[in-house]
Amino acid sequence: MTRIADDHKGTSHLLMGNEAIARGALEAGVSVAAGYPGTPSSEIISTLAKVPKEHNLYVEWSTNEKVAMEVAAAASFAGLRSMCVLKQNGVNVAADFLLHLSGSGTRGGIIIVPCDDPGALSSINEGESRHFARLLEIPLLEPGNFQEAKDMTKWAFELSEEIRNLVMVRSVTRLSHASGNVIFGELPKEAPRAFFKHDGFILDPMEGIVVSVPVSYRHGQQHEKLKKSIEIFETSPFNIYTGPDNPELLIITASVCDLYTREAVHILGLQDRVGVLKLGTTWPLPPKLMEKVMGRTDKILIIEEVIPFLEENVKILASELAPKIGIKTFFGKRDGSLPMAGELNPDLIISVLVKIFSMRYESMPSSYAEKAETYALKAAPARDLTFCPGCPHRASFWSIHNVLKMDNQEGFVCGDIGCYSLATLPTGFMSLKTMHSMGSGTGVASGFGKLDQFGMEQPILSVCGDSTFFHSVMPALVNAVHHKSNITVVVLDNSGTAMTGFQPHPGLKVDARGNEAPNIDIQAVCEAIGAKVKTSDPFDFDGTQKALFDLLEDKEGVKVLILKQICALSPEKKEKKMFEMSVNIEECLGQSCGCNRLCTRIFRCPGLVWDKDNQTARIDEAICTGCGVCANICPSGAIKKEEVA
Amino acid sequence: MQISGSNELVEQILKNDLCVACGACVGLCPYFKVYRGKVAMTFPCDLTQGRCYAYCPKTEVDYDNLSQTFYGKPYQGSALGEYRRIAASRAGDKMISGPFQNGGTVSALMTLALKTGMIDAAVLTDSDGLIPVPRLITKEEEVVQCASAKYVASPTLSCVNKGVEEGYDRIGVVGTPCQMTAVAQMKCNLLDKADFKDPIAFTVGLFCTWALDFRTFVDFLSDRLDLSTICSMDIPPPPAEVLIVKTADKDIEIPLSDIRPLVLKGCSVCPDMTAEWADVSVGAYEGKPGWNTLIIRSEKGEVMVDEAVKEGFLIVDELPALNLAHLIQGADGKKRRARENIEKAAAGNDSERNKQPAVTENWKMSSFQ
Amino acid sequence: MEKTKLSFDPFNLIITGVGGQGNVMASRVLGNMLSHKGFHITIGETFGASQRGGSVMSHVRVSSASSLSPQIARGQAHMIIALEPIEAIRVLMTYGNPEVNVLCNIRPIHPVGVISGELDYPSLEDAKAYVTELSKSAWFVNATDRAMEQMGNPIFGNIILLGALAGTNLLPLDRDDFKMIIQGDMTQDKVKINLDAYDMGMEMVKG
């Protein structure tokens, strides 16, 4: 499809929001891009990583978001344009550095691009990066469509250089992962050179040292820059009002909510009664523009997702401007018109508008709706999330579950974020009993492991992925070893950052751009830290369970079990089945005593289905990936595997 | 009598700590497993009836049914159960010698049973240091390796299930009274399966007053000595009241009063000292080391003993009346204590931890008359 | 680029299926084909965790004017392409209306709750009957099985359905555009097999 780094100036291309952001960065002449994979942000770095080598770019998947931000900052200090890309949680990880960076100021244009996930479509929280902009006192830009995703990204670099500080460009899942038409601009021709000036006057922002002290001086400078950005925002073309001169209702919105709002207004035919102010620069708000637009009406509805960030900032301005614009009636989250949690969509906005305007609206004929609902209830059983067919995690948790049950001391597993988070569900035999941020499984386990002096005797396990190991497990492991915490850490090494699309990490021999890279060996790291380490193939149940039992019996200090088996979605595995699987229905015990459908009732690989009519398990050839694992769980040996030549 | 499924087994037995880890439920299906002497259910099973429940010696046992099946009459509840005769015995000259705890009667009978083809496999309990290891053997010479007292609960019957799985259909089993009760239930087709076949050809029961919980016993001992140095264990006859742990360089005596708290809770409600449901039962001969007490119960047991004597595998002598009286006294004592413990639990005057709501429902008081 | 007229403007199409069925690829190829015809395309989709065995939906919106909401409003679909039959019913519940058209692959993928026995999967006859009753017209094709038989890989089911969509003539789709778009990303033999799948789909609807 579209080659993102081809010039094509003036032509229209169908781009994913993340690709549009990447294109915007290229048009701005970005030199360095760093990030840590996280849905929905990952495709920005992946796209830039694929840009041909003649465009002298440096792109990396960093060990974690804080490091990514630091890598990008260095480029800015050396006068280059750079960016850091992360999902909402990543901003938390980078926050400590960010607070110092906004204090020290920057040189070459630098932007941070967090992609938030309202509705937590692929997250375990609805965290918000917007309030970080306020906390860090840096400008916040929110593209409202695909063209803006490109154009605002490009502009953000210019703004950053104008104010000599970081600029945040915030996207959300429904923009990052949606696609729309984008008209390309020009790609820059010059190749910038990097040089870090550090011998000038100490307080010179472009030639002195890059530090946040003296704090009150630099902080004051930062506020001067913020004032400058407000001036720029007053006339920004990304803040657009559409609607009648004096609407009955003014909607203030931003980001993808603008598209939902326009859809809702259009469906209800309210174009002549409702005005929409779409803001692209959402913090700090430009007061003159706001005064002008809010002065048009008495009723204001603020539409945004999750926390009432825009709403609160608008209300602060509105109270300051009250002598000029009068007292307004507000609708939004704080009065309950819109929910505080979950993502929005056109229907939610339709229902708010219908209420405000006392209208009637039927989205589908009621007889149809009733019938459709009845049929769906009857014939569309829910689809719970599950590990993919052939996923090594299913095998790993099978062993972990069995060992903990057999060990019979109410041992438990602390987890964190990755595909293996699904082990809170039946697909992972509900093995995870705590689940928080990246790497927190091992940190929490380290704490549990010190509770023996309060009488806690339960065995304590943690799990982490290979990418997560480098991201944030290592400090927790060091902590556990140093404090002699009696825990067993299971590293589920599937050779990639699998959940987000199989990006490389420091444990692999390849980097983001496909170049050969020195790999860091997890086992060697763990041993150097002082843990006892065993390695096993999770598809080998006997070996894995033996290793786990051995480690659990060892009550001294930190043990690590590395379960190594490549992800079923990896390019290597996707191509080829290892085994052709089949079920011998004569031997299948089915529901009788002695089996009771272990494979389909408990193991639940999507590649194995229960044939109700014949009362036997069956392989679904369209789904089965031929990993062969289920043959090892069948108590009667009815599941057969035959090696594919 | 109601035969339930695994959920009831877990609720009534495992959760009430009444499991004695006999191993009868282990290996029947993918769900019951044993590790370090403790039985666990790894995943729930929703069948309403299961062999796990039917075989378990700690769920309600229908003694009348067992007695009707094996002896053609209702259960009498006498101290030693049904038997044909009681004798003293020891291994004969034809039997190879081994590290027998007493007279080697059990080894002699199992060796001969394998030799004559009466059984095609034997299920015994070997040990790895302190850990009892259930074994399924098919060669005569392997029998004597398993000859030693364990005092620790062993999931030996898991090997019966393994033997059936592997296609053996004339299995010989050596086990404790609870294990013999389970085996008797395995032989009864309690679930009325059309294709049922009794896979067990010969059983030898071992006298037993209690067994220790493996895990707590290991913890107890490891506080006192290096486990890897243990050679064997013995409890000499009264009035010694000690457990002797023999290590490479010395014998360590542990008072039985220290050991008793480690006895499995399930043992305290066991009414059977002499393995009433075995073909023959074997125990120590009080005051005569190197000999056994032998109770011959079934016709098959009698044939087997006669054959063993004829072939020179076994020497049989009379058991003095005083020994018999002591045996009856001991067996009666176990029945009485079991009854008292059950009543105590039922009355709820025990500590919270020892509450056994399941017990009253699951034990027939008539069993102890 | 000449613009053909759309039967509805915007034309709202939903491609639904189960994670791993090639839903995202189908929506992008379709979007590019129509974008090449000069339309404004908006595609809304989710991936990530939601893909692991869950239902996956792509909202494809074709407009002569501008980018639109990446989420279609309730009851506003004109066309539904279901890579899995019960997903058609699920989508109809929210986005259907008496005028909607449905193109449905009949190969079931059992949800994990059905595999475990906690939920029931409908008979194919029932599923077809419900889809038919909830739509103006419905086409049922056996794309997965045909893909396995002819192409040796069930993944081509999505391209067969794209071909079938072209066969319905509800959208202005060109085989040449399809070829041009996949050529950019694929080797010659892959292009050939994809074209075969596309053609097979067209035939299945026409025949």
Side-chain angles (χ1 to χ4, degrees):
Chain A
M1 296 177 207
T2 299
R3 287 201 179 79
I4 203 86
D6 290 358
D7 203 349
H8 294 313
K9 188 187 168 195
T11 56
S12 171
H13 299 266
L14 182 60
L15 293 191
M16 199 196 301
N18 281 342
E19 294 171 319
I21 291 169
R23 173 71 190 193
L26 287 175
E27 290 182 7
V30 72
S31 295
V32 170
Y36 183 81
T39 316
S41 71
S42 311
E43 295 80 9
I44 300 172
I45 293 288
S46 303
T47 302
L48 290 171
K50 281 183 220 131
V51 167
K53 305 225 154 76
E54 56 266 28
H55 296 258
N56 190 26
L57 269 188
Y58 176 72
V59 185
E60 75 167 40
W61 285 121
S62 308
T63 304
N64 64 34
E65 293 88 347
K66 177 170 174 282
V67 174
M69 195 67 239
E70 289 156 351
V71 166
S76 166
F77 301 158
L80 302 179
R81 289 190 168 181
S82 64
M83 67 195 296
C84 171
V85 182
L86 25 70
K87 74 179 288 177
Q88 78 271 15
N89 313 345
V91 187
N92 308 345
V93 177
D96 196 13
F97 177 70
L98 281 169
L99 199 63
H100 292 90
L101 181 65
S102 65
S104 76
T106 60
R107 292 179 184 172
I110 177 168
I111 66 172
I112 178 170
V113 185
C115 300
D116 289 3
D117 190 16
L121 299 165
S122 43
S123 305
I124 60 167
N125 64 63
E126 280 193 296
E128 275 268 7
S129 59
R130 290 183 297 168
H131 64 89
F132 272 101
R134 194 161 58 185
L135 178 76
L136 300 170
E137 298 171 308
I138 57 169
L140 169 64
L141 311 182
E142 294 189 71
N145 57 50
F146 312 96
Q147 186 68 43
E148 282 192 356
K150 177 186 84 67
D151 294 345
M152 289 177 81
T153 301
K154 177 169 186 280
W155 174 55
F157 286 95
E158 293 157 20
L159 179 64
S160 167
E161 282 171 10
E162 185 84 32
I163 64 165
R164 292 196 187 125
N165 212 327
L166 182 68
V167 171
M168 179 181 281
V169 179
R170 182 232 190 198
S171 180
V172 293
T173 302
R174 295 292 185 185
L175 181 66
S176 280
H177 279 174
S179 304
N181 293 78
V182 176
I183 297 170
F184 279 12
E186 205 169 352
L187 292 177
K189 301 280 182 287
E190 297 110 78
R193 271 190 65 79
F195 185 79
F196 179 44
K197 295 180 186 156
H198 52 72
D199 284 342
F201 173 53
I202 199 160
L203 292 177
D204 185 318
M206 296 308 278
E207 298 191 356
I209 58 173
V210 186
V211 295
S212 59
V213 288
V215 172
S216 54
Y217 170 77
R218 303 257 190 200
H219 197 183
Q221 293 283 300
Q222 194 186 342
H223 272 272
E224 290 307 310
K225 294 166 181 173
L226 262 185
K227 277 186 201 152
K228 196 167 175 183
S229 47
I230 291 174
E231 284 306 308
I232 298 169
F233 291 172
E234 293 288 5
T235 55
S236 164
F238 299 114
N239 300 325
I240 305 160
Y241 175 80
T242 39
D245 285 345
N246 293 298
E248 292 170 50
L249 177 75
L250 169 68
I251 294 177
I252 302 176
T253 186
S255 186
V256 77
C257 294
D258 178 52
L259 293 173
Y260 302 156
T261 301
R262 285 173 201 284
E263 185 94 15
V265 168
H266 175 81
I267 286 174
L268 295 174
L270 289 171
Q271 294 92 327
D272 297 334
R273 300 172 72 184
V274 172
V276 179
L277 173 63
K278 190 230 67 134
L279 289 171
T281 69
T282 42
W283 199 86
L285 289 173
K288 289 181 200 137
L289 172 76
M290 297 305 289
E291 180 187 333
K292 200 170 88 192
V293 180
M294 288 198 286
R296 292 173 187 270
T297 186
D298 292 331
K299 282 192 206 164
I300 299 175
L301 166 63
I302 295 142
I303 297 179
E304 65 192 313
E305 291 175 308
V306 195
I307 61 167
F309 176 83
L310 187 56
E311 181 174 335
E312 286 171 3
N313 292 328
V314 166
K315 282 177 174 173
I316 290 170
L317 259 188
S319 65
E320 288 168 5
L321 295 168
K324 294 184 192 166
I325 62 171
I327 306 287
K328 305 295 176 191
T329 303
F330 284 101
F331 304 93
K333 291 182 183 285
R334 297 190 61 91
D335 74 324
S337 293
L338 286 165
M340 287 273 190
E343 65 166 344
L344 297 183
N345 56 45
D347 296 305
L348 278 166
I349 297 170
I350 286 173
S351 64
V352 177
L353 292 175
V354 160
K355 222 190 220 161
I356 293 174
F357 286 93
S358 306
M359 302 168 74
R360 288 182 66 80
Y361 173 72
E362 199 178 59
S363 57
M364 57 174 80
S366 59
S367 60
Y368 182 92
E370 247 167 65
K371 208 158 54 176
E373 203 177 316
T374 311
Y375 293 161
L377 274 176
K378 219 177 347 182
R383 240 178 238 289
D384 282 342
L385 296 184
T386 165
F387 289 131
C388 303
C391 177
H393 293 332
R394 181 179 288 103
S396 294
F397 284 107
W398 179 262
S399 285
I400 290 171
H401 175 93
N402 275 289
V403 164
L404 284 180
K405 283 286 176 190
M406 285 165 71
D407 182 59
N408 215 338
Q409 299 184 78
E410 298 185 66
F412 58 92
V413 187
C414 303
D416 49 50
I417 305 175
C419 284
Y420 52 93
S421 298
L422 291 181
T424 50
L425 305 174
T427 191
F429 320 109
M430 300 197 277
S431 304
L432 290 194
K433 303 304 181 184
T434 74
M435 175 178 69
H436 300 87
S437 63
M438 293 285 289
S440 63
T442 302
V444 170
S446 171
F448 271 125
K450 294 312 296 177
L451 301 185
D452 51 347
Q453 76 184 78
F454 304 101
M456 189 160 156
E457 291 177 343
Q458 295 157 281
I460 296 146
L461 269 73
S462 74
V463 289
C464 70
D466 39 344
S467 192
T468 312
F469 178 83
F470 294 108
H471 179 283
S472 45
V473 170
M474 280 168 61
L477 194 65
V478 168
N479 190 71
V481 169
H482 180 63
H483 294 102
K484 298 183 196 165
S485 187
N486 172 20
I487 62 170
T488 302
V489 179
V490 182
V491 182
L492 305 166
D493 182 352
N494 57 8
S495 305
T497 315
M499 178 156 220
T500 48
F502 224 67
Q503 293 82 4
H505 60 63
L508 303 180
K509 291 181 175 155
V510 64
D511 68 11
R513 301 210 75 187
N515 298 321
E516 206 177 298
N519 64 310
I520 289 105
D521 181 51
I522 295 177
Q523 174 159 359
V525 169
C526 294
E527 283 168 352
I529 289 173
K532 294 165 215 167
V533 187
K534 281 180 190 271
T535 301
S536 181
D537 174 358
F539 286 180
D540 168 13
F541 288 148
D542 290 344
T544 298
Q545 295 181 18
K546 166 94 176 53
L548 205 45
F549 276 131
D550 286 351
L551 293 179
L552 284 179
E553 282 205 31
D554 181 346
K555 307 284 185 209
E556 299 293 319
V558 177
K559 285 79 60 182
V560 175
L561 175 62
I562 300 169
L563 294 179
K564 205 168 167 61
Q565 177 67 244
I566 197 164
C567 169
L569 298 183
S570 68
E572 292 94 314
K573 271 202 182 168
K574 246 180 158 176
E575 289 302 309
K576 177 173 174 288
K577 280 187 180 184
M578 280 280 285
F579 299 100
E580 205 55 63
M581 306 301 296
S582 61
V583 176
N584 180 330
I585 57 170
E586 299 300 320
E587 292 174 41
C588 175
L589 294 173
Q591 297 193 85
S592 58
C593 180
C595 181
N596 193 19
R597 307 210 287 111
L598 178 74
C599 61
T600 52
R601 194 174 60 87
I602 304 291
F603 191 67
R604 298 188 185 190
C605 176
L608 270 166
V609 292
W610 175 244
D611 183 342
K612 234 183 196 171
D613 298 336
N614 295 308
Q615 292 285 297
T616 164
R618 186 167 58 72
I619 304 289
D620 184 340
E621 319 81 61
I623 309 282
C624 175
T625 60
C627 71
V629 168
C630 57
N632 301 337
I633 65 154
C634 179
S636 63
I639 303 178
K640 310 288 183 193
K641 61 178 183 185
E642 198 181 314
E643 207 156 331
V644 177
Chain B
M1 199 189 77
Q2 180 62 43
I3 292 173
S4 301
S6 58
N7 292 325
E8 290 78 7
L9 187 63
V10 169
E11 285 301 317
Q12 296 170 9
I13 308 304
L14 291 184
K15 286 198 178 163
N16 282 311
D17 227 358
L18 290 173
C19 176
V20 290
C22 71
C25 60
V26 175
L28 288 170
C29 68
Y31 306 108
F32 285 99
K33 300 259 172 74
V34 66
Y35 175 65
R36 298 186 73 228
K38 230 175 161 74
V39 173
M41 192 174 191
T42 53
F43 288 104
C45 166
D46 54 5
L47 295 180
T48 51
Q49 282 200 326
R51 290 173 295 171
C52 54
Y53 192 95
Y55 295 169
C56 179
K58 295 292 162 183
T59 56
E60 183 178 350
V61 176
D62 189 341
Y63 289 101
D64 278 336
N65 181 44
L66 292 186
S67 190
Q68 287 289 358
T69 306
F70 297 113
Y71 301 110
K73 57 179 170 187
Y75 185 63
Q76 309 294 314
S78 58
L80 302 180
E82 289 298 321
Y83 62 90
R84 288 164 179 256
R85 61 190 166 99
I86 297 185
S89 64
R90 67 172 174 84
D93 301 339
K94 286 283 175 64
M95 180 61 197
I96 46 172
S97 64
F100 307 133
Q101 198 82 15
N102 292 297
T105 304
V106 176
S107 299
L109 288 171
M110 292 316 274
T111 304
L112 182 64
L114 274 171
K115 192 181 167 78
T116 60
M118 180 198 195
I119 59 175
D120 56 1
V123 171
L124 305 166
T125 310
D126 197 350
S127 52
D128 174 10
L130 197 59
I131 310 169
V133 181
R135 285 189 64 192
L136 179 73
I137 62 159
T138 52
K139 297 194 184 75
E140 298 151 42
E141 56 273 22
E142 291 174 302
V143 171
V144 289
Q145 292 168 13
C146 301
S148 70
K150 275 84 186 180
Y151 305 111
V152 175
S154 164
T156 305
L157 299 186
S158 59
C159 273
V160 175
N161 298 328
K162 188 174 151 208
V164 173
E165 181 75 29
E166 288 175 11
Y168 296 103
D169 58 3
R170 300 189 313 279
I171 300 172
V173 189
V174 178
T176 55
C178 53
Q179 286 168 334
M180 288 301 112
T181 307
V183 168
Q185 298 188 100
M186 290 177 175
K187 293 163 72 72
C188 282
N189 192 18
L190 293 173
L191 293 175
D192 285 326
K193 295 276 179 204
D195 54 353
F196 176 81
K197 255 184 69 191
D198 177 4
I200 292 153
F202 182 55
T203 59
V204 178
L206 305 168
F207 294 1
C208 175
T209 41
W210 44 252
L212 300 173
D213 177 71
F214 175 80
R215 293 185 183 193
T216 48
F217 186 49
V218 165
D219 289 347
F220 175 89
L221 283 185
S222 40
D223 289 345
R224 289 162 176 77
L225 64 145
D226 179 359
L227 296 185
S228 63
T229 61
I230 296 175
C231 301
S232 68
M233 289 182 293
D234 191 24
I235 298 179
E241 276 290 308
V242 288
L243 171 78
I244 299 169
V245 180
K246 295 179 177 154
T247 69
D249 50 346
K250 59 178 175 191
D251 289 1
I252 296 162
E253 290 194 4
I254 299 168
L256 283 187
S257 55
D258 288 357
I259 297 286
R260 285 211 175 88
L262 313 180
V263 170
L264 286 164
K265 200 171 133 194
C267 295
S268 69
V269 293
C270 173
D272 186 355
M273 189 183 87
T274 59
E276 297 175 28
W277 306 102
D279 287 317
V280 299
S281 301
V282 179
Y285 184 136
E286 212 179 303
K288 199 169 178 185
W291 281 78
N292 290 112
T293 302
L294 172 66
I295 304 178
I296 302 160
R297 299 186 186 278
S298 69
E299 186 185 344
K300 197 189 269 176
E302 184 149 47
V303 170
M304 192 66 216
V305 169
D306 291 348
E307 174 95 0
V309 171
K310 202 176 94 195
E311 296 292 327
F313 274 73
L314 204 64
I315 295 166
V316 173
D317 199 354
E318 283 205 12
L319 187 76
L322 188 63
N323 285 58
L324 181 60
H326 275 171
L327 189 63
I328 290 173
Q329 197 183 11
D332 257 339
K334 191 172 181 189
K335 279 192 165 36
R336 179 175 40 78
R337 285 193 300 277
R339 189 171 56 225
E340 283 166 6
N341 287 334
I342 290 168
E343 281 167 358
K344 201 155 71 178
N349 57 3
D350 209 333
S351 73
E352 194 64 25
R353 189 180 134 68
N354 289 329
K355 264 190 187 167
Q356 301 164 357
V359 170
T360 41
E361 293 160 33
N362 295 307
W363 286 81
K364 277 193 173 174
M365 298 307 287
S366 65
S367 309
F368 307 110
Q369 305 303 304
Chain C
M1 283 188 278
E2 70 182 88
K3 230 179 255 189
T4 324
K5 220 170 142 36
L6 292 166
S7 48
F8 297 94
D9 194 348
F11 188 95
N12 298 329
L13 178 142
I14 295 176
I15 303 180
T16 184
V18 180
Q21 283 195 294
N23 194 313
V24 172
M25 192 243 184
S27 72
R28 296 209 93 193
V29 170
L30 175 65
N32 273 289
M33 288 168 74
L34 290 160
S35 177
H36 192 250
K37 279 260 171 291
F39 295 110
H40 288 262
I41 306 299
T42 312
I43 308 173
E45 53 206 350
T46 53
F47 31 101
S50 41
Q51 205 186 2
R52 311 286 186 244
S55 309
V56 180
M57 231 193 326
S58 297
H59 289 193
V60 181
R61 312 195 64 189
V62 192
S63 155
S64 59
S66 64
S67 283
L68 298 163
S69 158
Q71 296 194 71
I72 295 171
R74 186 178 145 86
Q76 300 278 320
H78 301 111
M79 175 87 208
I80 291 166
I81 300 179
L83 294 164
E84 205 278 353
I86 64 166
E87 294 312 311
I89 299 170
R90 203 189 313 280
V91 164
L92 283 163
M93 177 175 73
T94 308
Y95 301 97
N97 57 74
E99 297 303 309
V100 72
N101 298 297
V102 181
L103 174 59
C104 184
N105 183 19
I106 57 167
R107 167 78 182 219
I109 295 178
H110 284 186
V112 69
V114 171
I115 290 173
S116 70
E118 290 148 25
L119 302 171
D120 284 321
Y121 196 94
S123 71
L124 188 57
E125 296 79 61
D126 282 353
K128 276 175 150 178
Y130 299 152
V131 169
T132 305
E133 212 184 319
L134 292 171
S135 57
K136 188 171 108 191
S137 25
W139 293 266
F140 298 97
V141 293
N142 198 352
T144 305
D145 286 345
R146 291 294 299 276
M148 283 201 286
E149 285 159 21
Q150 309 273 320
M151 279 103 204
N153 191 337
I155 196 66
F156 292 101
N158 61 350
I159 302 299
I160 292 178
L161 283 169
L162 266 191
L165 173 67
T168 65
N169 284 322
L170 289 167
L171 278 169
L173 297 176
D174 258 341
R175 186 181 186 274
D176 287 345
D177 289 341
F178 174 72
K179 188 175 173 186
M180 182 206 66
I181 281 151
I182 60 169
Q183 258 170 348
D185 296 332
M186 293 176 190
T187 55
Q188 271 312 309
D189 47 330
K190 282 260 169 72
V191 169
K192 162 103 181 41
I193 197 166
N194 274 282
L195 279 172
D196 288 348
Y198 187 89
D199 292 340
M200 187 194 291
M202 279 191 76
E203 284 306 311
M204 284 163 90
V205 168
K206 281 180 182 160

